[in-house]
Amino acid sequence: MVFGLGRKAKNEEPAQPVDELTVAEAGEGEPGTAARRPDGPFDESEISSRDGFVDLGALLITPSEGLQLRLEVEEATQRVVAVTLDLNGSSLQLQAFAAPKTETLWDEIREQIGQSVGAQGGQVEEVEGAFGTELVAKLPAGLPDGSQGYRVARFIGVDGPRWFLRGVLGGPAALERPAAEPLEALFRQVVVVRGDSPMPPRDLLQLRLPKDASATPPPAAPTLEEPERGPEITQIG
């Protein structure tokens, strides 16, 4: 598995499993809280051991053959703000945020993504997917031959206990469900480590490079930033 470091803009807001997850029984949550998902993603309290995971601090990732991980660094602060999983020519960017104990964030965040994409001349469509309501964002982009196309990114989100996990699929996985299945499987196996410290809602949970990993950038690895920078460009017309 390859680890790399990418960069993010100064003004940006913040397979096959090696081991089978052991999930603790999840009781019913308090009114207004996010429902536990028996098929993941999981909270740290729902696993019995961290063995077999890649430990990135706030996120535990299940290794997979051919998977490359890139930790993305915010230029202004030099903090790690996202991890991107590259597999089979597609990508999945992950970010975990603190959330209120009695509220969910995904509905509001979808609305804000739609407003941001619309302000850039793009379009969003809400679709039902494996994780509930998703957003497919399309933004205008010029093709190398000078014709007009658009970039595509698919946003998925899961509200957990005091955290929110966002995924952004790029490449073929943003357009084709079969191409997305391996990355969706990895998304299901993500474990979020929220921690006990009080945090304002929407604050990024801290990510870090694993202690035994070297930060060697993978060659010619595309970087998925915000929706306007999604890696897939499609011809219009």
Side-chain angles (χ1 to χ4, degrees):
M1 182 176 297
V2 179
F3 289 88
L5 292 178
R7 292 189 177 274
K8 295 184 76 67
K10 295 181 180 180
N11 62 347
E12 220 178 277
E13 288 185 7
Q16 292 180 356
V18 172
D19 290 309
E20 193 171 315
L21 290 176
T22 303
V23 184
E25 277 192 28
E28 294 185 3
E30 299 177 9
T33 60
R36 299 283 181 104
R37 300 184 62 89
D39 54 352
F42 300 103
D43 183 73
E44 181 189 17
S45 65
E46 298 177 286
I47 63 169
S48 59
S49 172
R50 294 193 184 194
D51 293 343
F53 292 100
V54 179
D55 188 344
L56 302 177
L59 297 176
L60 306 179
I61 307 297
T62 301
S64 178
E65 184 178 354
L67 177 65
Q68 294 184 339
L69 300 182
R70 288 181 288 118
L71 297 181
E72 301 180 16
V73 179
E74 185 177 56
E75 187 175 348
T77 64
Q78 292 300 299
R79 66 171 178 162
V80 179
V81 294
V83 58
T84 296
L85 283 58
D86 292 313
L87 184 66
N88 301 333
S90 294
S91 61
L92 170 64
Q93 184 197 68
L94 298 173
Q95 289 181 299
F97 302 85
K101 185 176 181 180
T102 58
E103 297 178 20
T104 59
L105 295 179
W106 185 217
D107 289 345
E108 183 180 352
I109 288 174
R110 285 202 314 275
E111 182 178 352
Q112 293 177 347
I113 292 172
Q115 292 173 350
S116 175
V117 171
Q120 299 171 60
Q123 299 177 346
V124 294
E125 178 185 5
E126 287 199 350
V127 298
E128 288 302 312
F131 303 95
T133 305
E134 304 174 353
L135 276 186
V136 177
K138 298 179 180 180
L139 283 122
L143 295 171
D145 62 3
S147 61
Q148 186 67 26
Y150 55 82
R151 297 182 186 271
V152 181
R154 180 177 146 216
F155 290 80
I156 53 181
V158 171
D159 289 292
R162 298 174 62 238
W163 51 259
F164 169 74
L165 179 64
R166 189 187 77 171
V168 187
L169 289 158
L175 297 166
E176 305 165 9
R177 293 289 174 171
E181 287 177 358
L183 286 171
E184 288 180 348
L186 288 171
F187 187 78
R188 289 188 185 281
Q189 297 174 61
V190 170
V191 177
V192 180
V193 182
R194 166 62 175 81
D196 298 324
S197 301
M199 295 181 67
R202 296 172 175 268
D203 268 16
L204 276 169
L205 303 184
Q206 186 173 356
L207 294 167
R208 58 172 173 76
L209 191 70
K211 295 179 181 179
D212 58 350
S214 59
T216 303
T223 300
L224 176 63
E225 303 285 353
E226 287 297 301
E228 67 271 22
R229 298 181 184 176
E232 187 72 15
I233 304 180
T234 303
Q235 182 83 30
I236 293 178

